[in-house]
Amino acid sequence: MAGIDWSFIWEGFLQTMEMVVISTVLAYIAGLPLGVVLSVTKQGRLAENRAVYNILAVLVNISRSIPFLIFLVLLIPVTRLIVGTSIGTEATIVPLTAGAIPIVARMVEASLEEVDGGIIEAALAMGASKWQVITGFLLPEAVPSLIQGSAINFVTILGYSAMAGFIGGGGLGAIAYQHGFIRYKTDILIVTVCILVIIVWIGQELGLKIAKKVRR
Amino acid sequence: MMSVTEKDIEKGSVADDIIYRLDHVTKVFEGAQKVVALDDVSLSIKRGEIYGIIGMSGAGKSTLVRTLNRLEDVTFGKVYFEGRDLTGLKGKELRKARRTVGMIFQGFNLLSQRNVEKNIKAALKIADVPKDKHNEIITKMLKIVGLEDKRYAFPSQLSGGQKQRVAIARALATDPKVILCDEATSALDPKITAEILELLKKINKELNVTIILITHEMSVVEAICDRVAVVDNGRIAEEGEVKELFVNPRSDAARKLVYPENAGFNLFDGQGRRCVRLVFDGTEAKEPIIARLAASKGVEVSILSANTKSVGGIGFGQMIVALPENEIQGNIAIEYFKFAGVYGEEVSEKSKEVIAWQE
Ligand SMILES: Nc1ncnc2c1ncn2[C@@H]1O[C@H](COP(=O)(O)OP(=O)(O)O)[C@@H](O)[C@H]1O
Ligand SMILES: [Mg+2]
């Protein structure tokens, strides 16, 4: 353990957090509305729309079924176009976000599905518009479940970020792979893996705790 | 009196005492198999009354009440609310109409993540009630339903009866003309049911809100309804004054509800004795009449079954009694019941026919 450069590891940790947090936030900015649309346009729901639902569902299913590693490679040209390079922390945010959007959308859809249909019925009976039902009833009722889902998504995206390290992304994943695995530095491999495990654990616990605290 | 034409009602010129009129309403659910949930339903509901809709599970009650605020579109027919056809309304117009009709449900349907105050506020926001009035209205509503001390409680901290009170406060907050109740007491025990029914009655009398109430329990109808429609298989089997239905049910569906045999209600004594069904509508105490008959006439009848309850301290319900085998004594008993002003009918075992002996 003596040979470990801790400032190097710290930098990797910061890079990982930067990538994962920014990607998660961006994925929710796009995935939350997408999940809402998926949920309400489904058959028998508030704003049933077969065409919209089917198109979105197919897109989400296809992008979700592509293994993330392949997704990373496929997106290299797009990343170059947006960031100017396909290597490094910033460049990794692009495929991470893109890969996370469908996952977030499905998670949001599942959370909204848990909401008791009676509350929507009550809102409509009051004379609420569809927008009012979604913002005033559906989403507020789903908040605890959405928080729990976001913790799970955070962990998934963290896993992806480690994978991204293999093909030129930064962060702890890259350190584990390039220094720990390729250069046989077992101690670095162990330390980075341990840190990743701890982040996962904290993320999950925190998500559960907050969800439990806000649930009434 | 001038005669009323359909056109007058459509124009709303005579709609003052009729708040809802359903005109040949049919609802078909298209699906794997077609379900005719409402089959040519026509009825009128008067302003200010408590109107019951009763029927077995699956009869079409919920579908019927949901056509009244257009939560359900009708397949054929018209639904007039205050003389205005609801079936043609769209978008904003429809939402505006819905704001004048409150609704409460069996499952309460409160926002579980919001406290009592915010639940009521949600309704006020939708109805575009100015923000500076919210506080005052919420206070007033909580006072009406008797929950002033639960303003900041969350639904999970309330009992079923309290949750329904919040739902009533929420429905009432936007000053509706009608409150629709879909099995609003079916999830509550008898004592709480009676309390909620009392509250609805109070709201009906004091605030002059028309109440339309759906139930599968005859006791609920007995307790508060002025008039009732019996729904069976999507059709109106019978409609009229509650007392009339109770004393003289004409349709099979109404009979089934009035003699709830499925609840262990034993109509016949199995020994061939003459049986009488006595109906207590609250004007006559139930126990003393049997005792008084024995004391003053020396005639003893046996109570085969009784299904009575006390609502607000008044006895409601019915009782099946077997008359003595001696025919003269039997007739004395019947004359005594008539004299005492108890509604009733003789039921004969052989034909399973019921013969009303009083109007
Ligand atoms: N959305 C629906 N789609 C298909 N069938 C329905 C739907 N809603 C109700 N039904 C059917 O319509 C009939 C009447 O239902 P409902 O009005 O809920 O009865 P009740 O409230 O008297 O129990 C039932 O046979 C029920 O299965
Ligand atoms: Mg029902």
Side-chain angles (χ1 to χ4, degrees):
Chain A
M1 287 274 181
I4 294 177
D5 179 355
W6 287 102
S7 69
F8 181 59
I9 303 264
W10 175 245
E11 201 167 302
F13 169 76
L14 289 181
Q15 279 175 357
T16 291
M17 292 311 280
E18 183 193 346
M19 280 190 296
V20 175
V21 169
I22 292 176
S23 302
T24 307
V25 169
L26 290 177
Y28 264 88
I29 289 173
L32 185 69
L34 186 56
V36 170
V37 173
L38 273 171
S39 166
V40 299
T41 54
K42 209 171 187 171
Q43 196 178 359
R45 295 283 163 70
L46 183 65
E48 181 177 335
N49 188 324
R50 211 173 253 208
V52 172
Y53 180 80
N54 285 340
I55 291 169
L56 292 180
V58 165
L59 284 176
V60 165
N61 285 345
I62 289 175
S63 52
R64 237 163 57 116
S65 58
I66 300 172
F68 183 66
L69 215 49
I70 296 179
F71 207 79
L72 269 175
V73 178
L74 284 176
L75 274 183
I76 286 175
V78 181
T79 309
R80 277 217 187 95
L81 206 71
I82 298 174
V83 191
T85 168
S86 67
I87 292 177
T89 315
E90 261 112 79
T92 311
I93 290 172
V94 174
L96 270 184
T97 304
I101 288 171
I103 294 167
V104 169
R106 280 296 187 201
M107 188 73 85
V108 169
E109 186 192 359
S111 290
L112 295 182
E113 227 150 277
E114 282 171 27
V115 174
D116 178 13
I119 193 71
I120 295 159
E121 185 120 325
L124 289 173
M126 287 175 211
S129 64
K130 284 174 182 138
W131 178 252
Q132 283 172 323
V133 174
I134 292 167
T135 56
F137 293 78
L138 204 49
L139 285 171
E141 282 297 90
V143 161
S145 170
L146 287 170
I147 289 173
Q148 222 167 314
S150 71
I152 295 168
N153 287 334
F154 174 84
V155 169
T156 306
I157 295 169
L158 183 75
Y160 284 180
S161 83
M163 260 190 249
F166 299 174
I167 66 150
L172 291 173
I175 294 173
Y177 182 67
Q178 281 158 17
H179 297 261
F181 186 69
I182 304 225
R183 294 181 203 158
Y184 300 112
K185 286 197 184 155
T186 319
D187 51 355
I188 286 194
L189 187 63
I190 291 170
V191 165
T192 48
V193 166
C194 282
I195 294 172
L196 285 170
V197 167
I198 291 168
I199 301 173
V200 166
W201 184 75
I202 291 176
Q204 262 168 356
E205 284 298 303
L206 214 60
L208 272 176
K209 280 250 161 63
I210 297 172
K212 207 170 158 192
K213 205 168 155 95
V214 302
R215 195 184 291 276
R216 297 292 177 175
Chain B
M1 235 176 82
M2 277 198 305
S3 72
V4 173
T5 64
E6 296 246 315
K7 219 166 192 160
D8 286 331
I9 296 172
E10 270 175 48
K11 279 189 299 191
S13 59
V14 294
D16 241 30
D17 74 320
I18 302 275
I19 192 154
Y20 267 115
R21 192 168 69 89
L22 272 68
D23 193 18
H24 301 290
V25 168
T26 294
K27 171 71 190 186
V28 182
F29 287 108
E30 304 281 355
Q33 74 227 103
K34 237 162 83 167
V35 179
V36 182
L38 294 176
D39 186 2
D40 196 24
V41 170
S42 296
L43 52 85
S44 296
I45 297 169
K46 291 180 199 154
R47 191 182 294 278
E49 75 176 334
I50 303 185
Y51 192 88
I53 296 169
I54 188 168
M56 303 284 182
S57 169
K61 306 179 296 292
S62 294
T63 309
L64 177 55
V65 82
R66 288 160 54 86
T67 65
L68 299 180
N69 57 2
R70 269 269 317 268
L71 280 181
E72 210 74 77
D73 286 324
V74 302
T75 314
F76 302 109
K78 304 267 185 218
V79 178
Y80 296 100
F81 174 56
E82 301 200 297
R84 186 162 170 233
D85 180 14
L86 285 185
T87 51
L89 295 188
K90 280 204 193 86
K92 213 171 176 175
E93 289 278 294
L94 174 61
R95 295 200 296 274
K96 226 168 141 187
R98 280 177 176 163
R99 284 169 203 173
T100 56
V101 180
M103 191 167 188
I104 61 173
F105 307 84
Q106 177 172 5
F108 319 122
N109 295 352
L110 299 174
L111 282 160
S112 64
Q113 304 300 313
R114 296 279 183 268
N115 65 20
V116 169
E117 178 187 80
K118 295 231 169 90
N119 264 282
I120 301 173
K121 215 168 237 179
L124 294 173
K125 273 191 208 155
I126 289 169
D128 285 329
V129 175
K131 257 208 170 98
D132 55 326
K133 294 218 177 99
H134 287 190
N135 223 352
E136 183 193 331
I137 294 174
I138 292 167
T139 306
K140 193 173 142 202
M141 291 305 130
L142 289 178
K143 190 160 180 229
I144 291 172
V145 302
L147 285 181
E148 291 110 313
D149 55 335
K150 298 290 182 196
R151 189 173 183 131
Y152 303 106
F154 282 86
S156 60
Q157 299 164 320
L158 301 176
S159 69
Q162 289 171 330
K163 282 184 209 167
Q164 199 58 289
R165 281 169 192 273
V166 176
I168 292 171
R170 179 176 70 175
L172 209 55
T174 51
D175 197 20
K177 293 171 176 164
V178 185
I179 293 186
L180 308 175
C181 313
D182 189 352
E183 302 269 8
T185 57
S186 298
L188 306 173
D189 65 44
K191 181 172 168 282
I192 307 299
T193 293
E195 287 173 14
I196 295 293
L197 294 178
E198 273 304 299
L199 175 61
L200 289 173
K201 203 170 191 169
K202 183 179 100 173
I203 288 165
N204 169 256
K205 292 281 167 301
E206 290 174 13
L207 303 173
N208 207 17
V209 177
T210 307
I211 290 180
I212 300 170
L213 187 150
I214 284 196
T215 183
H216 63 273
E217 293 170 305
M218 196 61 203
S219 57
V220 170
V221 169
E222 281 163 54
I224 67 166
C225 293
D226 301 312
R227 291 195 306 137
V228 62
V230 179
V231 182
D232 181 35
N233 229 334
R235 293 179 150 270
I236 302 290
E238 194 166 337
E239 200 211 356
E241 301 279 327
V242 171
K243 201 182 267 182
E244 200 179 301
L245 173 90
F246 208 45
V247 171
N248 187 18
R250 284 160 284 140
S251 60
D252 277 348
R255 268 173 213 291
K256 256 185 219 146
L257 291 159
V258 174
Y259 321 131
E261 280 164 296
N262 48 348
F265 208 87
N266 187 6
L267 252 185
F268 306 104
D269 80 332
Q271 296 168 30
R273 282 187 292 179
R274 293 164 72 193
C275 296
V276 168
R277 185 174 70 96
L278 299 174
V279 180
F280 302 94
D281 63 356
T283 51
E284 180 66 38
K286 61 183 163 61
E287 303 302 351
I289 194 166
I290 305 295
R292 272 191 276 124
L293 173 65
S296 64
K297 306 284 178 200
V299 176
E300 301 215 356
V301 298
S302 42
I303 299 174
L304 297 180
S305 52
N307 178 13
T308 53
K309 61 198 62 68
S310 170
V311 177
I314 302 167
F316 279 95
Q318 58 181 336
M319 190 185 279
I320 307 283
V321 298
L323 303 181
E325 271 170 88
N326 181 318
E327 195 171 336
I328 297 169
Q329 286 207 344
N331 288 339
I332 292 174
I334 288 183
E335 285 310 314
Y336 188 82
F337 294 141
K338 283 188 191 176
F339 176 72
V342 177
Y343 289 93
E345 60 186 353
E346 191 168 341
V347 288
S348 111
E349 179 165 21
K350 287 190 193 74
S351 58
K352 286 224 169 196
E353 225 173 79
V354 286
I355 310 136
W357 49 260
Q358 193 162 15
E359 69 276 6

